[in-house]
């Protein structure tokens, strides 16, 4: 289990979560952030600082956002597990679910 970033983050990319993460496991995609399950230590520091309340413990993801669990896994299936977000920096990749969302102005 890990934390999952969900739909409210799409096109927001606030990054307060990155600043709070003690293990550098929150990666930036083209339109939202993603938490690497292999690197996350489940400390929960990211959850309360998210200004749009997009981060949930995996088993607590609301039903309407449950597809983002798979999207999170798809993101890391594509980029792998590089051992820290700062090694990768921002990417342009997002899974199809995120790409298909209407762009927020």
């Amino acid at each position: 289990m890990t934390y999952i970033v969900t739909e409210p983050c799409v096109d927001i990319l606030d990054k307060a979560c990155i600043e709070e993460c003690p293990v550098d496991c929150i990666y930036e995609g083209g339109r939202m952030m993603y938490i690497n399950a292999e690197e996350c230590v489940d400390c929960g520091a990211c959850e309360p600082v998210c200004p749009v309340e997009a981060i949930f413990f995996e088993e607590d993801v609301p039903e309407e956002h449950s597809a983002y669990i798979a999207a999170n896994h798809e993101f890391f299936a594509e980029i792998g597990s590089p051992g820290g977000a700062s090694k990768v920096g921002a990417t342009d990749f997002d899974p199809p679910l995120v790409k298909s969302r209407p762009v927020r102005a």
Side-chain angles (χ1 to χ4, degrees), residues 4 33 43 57 59-60 64 73 75 92 94:
I4 301 291
M33 312 305 286
C43 71
F57 193 64
E59 61 189 30
D60 297 329
E64 67 267 20
H73 296 295
F75 180 83
D92 289 331
D94 285 301

Side-chain angles (χ1 to χ4, degrees), residues 8-82:
C9 182
V10 176
D11 296 326
I12 301 297
L13 296 169
D14 176 76
K15 302 180 191 173
C17 54
I18 289 175
E19 295 169 16
E20 287 298 316
C21 182
V23 293
D24 193 31
C25 72
I26 304 174
Y27 291 69
E28 184 177 349
R31 296 183 62 197
M32 69 177 273
M33 312 305 286
Y34 301 87
I35 298 174
N36 188 313
E38 293 181 20
E39 298 169 7
C40 179
V41 295
D42 298 332
C43 71
C46 57
E47 185 179 17
V49 299
C50 179
V52 293
E53 299 179 354
I55 302 172
F56 298 90
F57 193 64
E58 186 171 349
E59 61 189 30
D60 297 329
V61 171
E63 182 63 34
E64 67 267 20
H65 298 308
S66 63
Y68 285 84
I69 296 170
N72 192 76
H73 296 295
E74 289 173 35
F75 180 83
F76 291 103
E78 176 70 24
I79 72 160
S81 188

Side-chain angles (χ1 to χ4, degrees), residues 91-102:
T91 71
D92 289 331
F93 178 74
D94 285 301
L97 172 69
V98 176
K99 286 182 182 179
S100 69
R101 300 290 308 155

